Amino acid sequence: MKRVAVIGAGAAGLAALRSLSRFQHKIEVVAFERSNRVGGTWVHNDPFKPTSMYDNLTTNLPKEAMAFPGSPFPSAIQHSFLNHQEVLGYLESFAKQNNLHEKIKVSNILIASTY
């Protein structure tokens, strides 16, 4: 069985992890996340890594363009341009709904890999 590593559990890492998990009978996939939680750059004041996030940040893309295929933002969120807490909540919910936490090793830094 092939083994695949995903680096990071931010938006791109979670999308990759979900997509690769569909092939679990052919590959073993794991994500390595430096922080102690999912969310990547959307985690404000993350003590584990620098971020460009700030208190009053609002997205410059509408949620309709940011949502993962098949996983829309909650209908309770009526506005299109979200703050970082709403995006982070979406990513955390996405990870939970897709059972991705079991494939994520948090508080880990990948030092080396072979190909």
Side-chain angles (χ1 to χ4, degrees):
M1 182 174 290
K2 293 187 183 235
R3 297 170 55 196
V4 177
V6 173
I7 310 304
L14 293 175
L17 195 56
R18 178 177 75 165
S19 293
L20 291 167
S21 293
R22 294 177 179 159
F23 300 100
Q24 62 186 350
H25 58 286
K26 294 182 180 181
I27 62 172
E28 176 187 344
V29 61
V30 63
F32 294 94
E33 170 57 45
R34 178 188 297 194
S35 184
N36 63 354
R37 61 190 294 191
V38 302
T41 196
W42 296 101
V43 177
H44 183 43
N45 293 328
D46 187 344
F48 298 96
K49 59 187 171 191
T51 179
S52 57
M53 197 59 50
Y54 55 92
D55 288 335
N56 297 320
L57 181 126
T58 301
T59 62
N60 61 353
L61 289 173
K63 69 178 188 236
E64 294 81 7
M66 294 177 60
F68 295 123
S71 297
F73 277 83
S75 59
I77 300 176
Q78 297 293 311
H79 51 283
S80 286
F81 296 92
L82 311 177
N83 63 48
H84 65 86
Q85 294 101 335
E86 291 167 321
V87 177
L88 179 59
Y90 172 79
L91 294 174
E92 290 170 338
S93 176
F94 177 83
K96 184 176 181 179
Q97 290 172 355
N98 289 280
N99 300 314
L100 300 180
H101 286 288
E102 63 193 31
K103 297 173 177 68
I104 301 170
K105 298 197 179 292
V106 296
S107 302
N108 273 274
I109 298 173
L110 186 65
I111 303 296
S113 176
T114 59
Y115 175 73

